Amino acid sequence: MKRLRSMTQRFVTIGLVAIGVTSVSFAQVGFKLGLGGGLVSPMADYGGSTAEYYDGKNYGLSTGWNLHGKVRLNLVGFNVAGQIGYSFLSNSGTPPQGGGTVEVAHNVFTIKVGPEYHISLPASPVAIYLGANGQWNSFSGSTTFKGISGVSSGTIDLTSASRIGVGFSAGVIVRVPALPTFDIGLNYDLMNLSGKAFEQDPSKDNREESYAYLNDEKDPAYRASDSKHFIATSRSISALTITVAVMFGL
């Protein structure tokens, strides 16, 4: 009888502790959802000039725009952030030899998920965060040539391509009473760490074909004097983004 009473007391104690811990945990869980936008600056081989893009050295894109939705889950001592975004980048200019114009545009759909580490400042409505994420990126876009010898005038659509990357972020969270929370972030994304490839329609063999695919890997048929196969090295796609989002608690 005493043994049964002792076991019952233990189970009751364990149950009360578990309920208490669960209550505290749920009390400290937070969920925020928001929308934002920002400026995207292409880095490494993703930037440059349209003349360099024509030569296959990089993608020749200039600063563009980003729109995104963000979710932040605050757990006990742990934070997870997710983001779905769409970036628009473009540029226009002349080819290396001059004459005519090159217009290039990329659209990038991105899904990011990763942890965040938050640092609260005493007696301040501002908190600092550092984060990292894994990401999936889908690229689309087009290239338009006008009046350039060596290529046909017209628009070439970029065949959709997906790449796996990683990103790093730092930012501040500003909490103002009776107002939404503001999230101001700086993000550096390495967007094609995995999945680089060179693609070409085997039924075609012309310069335009190399612009119809993302082709961030070297053309295996590259020759220095070959105008049809001119992508000599693999290309890195990265970007620096400044974002501002308005976050609402749910």
Side-chain angles (χ1 to χ4, degrees):
M1 188 68 177
K2 290 182 179 180
R3 184 177 180 182
L4 179 60
R5 185 180 302 167
S6 177
M7 291 179 63
T8 302
Q9 290 175 345
R10 289 180 183 178
F11 280 122
V12 171
T13 301
I14 293 172
L16 291 174
V17 170
I19 292 173
V21 170
T22 302
S23 299
V24 172
S25 298
F26 275 105
Q28 295 181 10
V29 168
F31 181 75
K32 289 188 179 294
L33 179 66
L35 295 173
L39 292 174
V40 185
S41 180
M43 307 291 287
D45 299 325
Y46 210 35
S49 67
T50 53
E52 292 171 319
Y53 171 63
Y54 181 85
D55 279 343
K57 296 177 181 178
N58 53 40
Y59 292 92
L61 294 164
S62 61
T63 299
W65 298 92
N66 166 271
L67 297 174
H68 66 272
K70 187 169 185 178
V71 175
R72 177 177 285 119
L73 181 62
N74 304 110
L75 303 173
V76 182
F78 187 72
N79 303 280
V80 177
Q83 184 172 306
I84 296 178
Y86 206 77
S87 297
F88 312 83
L89 303 98
S90 64
N91 200 6
S92 63
T94 59
Q97 69 274 20
T101 59
V102 180
E103 298 175 3
V104 56
H106 274 199
N107 306 316
V108 189
F109 177 71
T110 302
I111 299 176
K112 305 178 182 179
V113 179
E116 282 185 351
Y117 176 67
H118 290 209
I119 305 171
S120 297
L121 303 178
S124 172
V126 175
I128 300 172
Y129 68 85
L130 300 172
N133 61 72
Q135 56 187 244
W136 175 81
N137 302 287
S138 178
F139 298 85
S140 60
S142 64
T143 300
T144 301
F145 296 113
K146 297 178 181 178
I148 301 174
S149 60
V151 293
S152 301
S153 294
T155 298
I156 303 168
D157 290 328
L158 178 66
T159 303
S160 296
S162 299
R163 299 291 186 266
I164 301 298
V166 298
F168 304 93
S169 61
V172 294
I173 300 170
V174 183
R175 301 181 181 90
V176 180
L179 290 177
T181 298
F182 293 92
D183 183 327
I184 303 170
L186 180 66
N187 309 271
Y188 182 66
D189 299 308
L190 303 166
M191 295 187 281
N192 69 332
L193 284 185
S194 176
K196 289 183 180 182
F198 182 88
E199 299 176 88
Q200 191 173 30
D201 186 337
S203 66
K204 300 177 182 179
D205 186 25
N206 55 51
R207 188 180 185 93
E208 289 90 333
E209 266 299 287
S210 291
Y211 302 108
Y213 298 89
L214 189 61
N215 286 342
D216 45 357
E217 190 55 272
K218 174 182 177 179
D219 185 343
Y222 168 77
R223 296 292 183 274
S225 59
D226 190 340
S227 63
K228 298 178 181 179
H229 302 276
F230 54 93
I231 298 177
T233 61
S234 64
R235 299 183 282 185
S236 298
I237 300 176
S238 59
L240 187 67
T241 308
I242 300 174
T243 59
V244 177
V246 180
M247 307 293 293
F248 297 91
L250 298 176

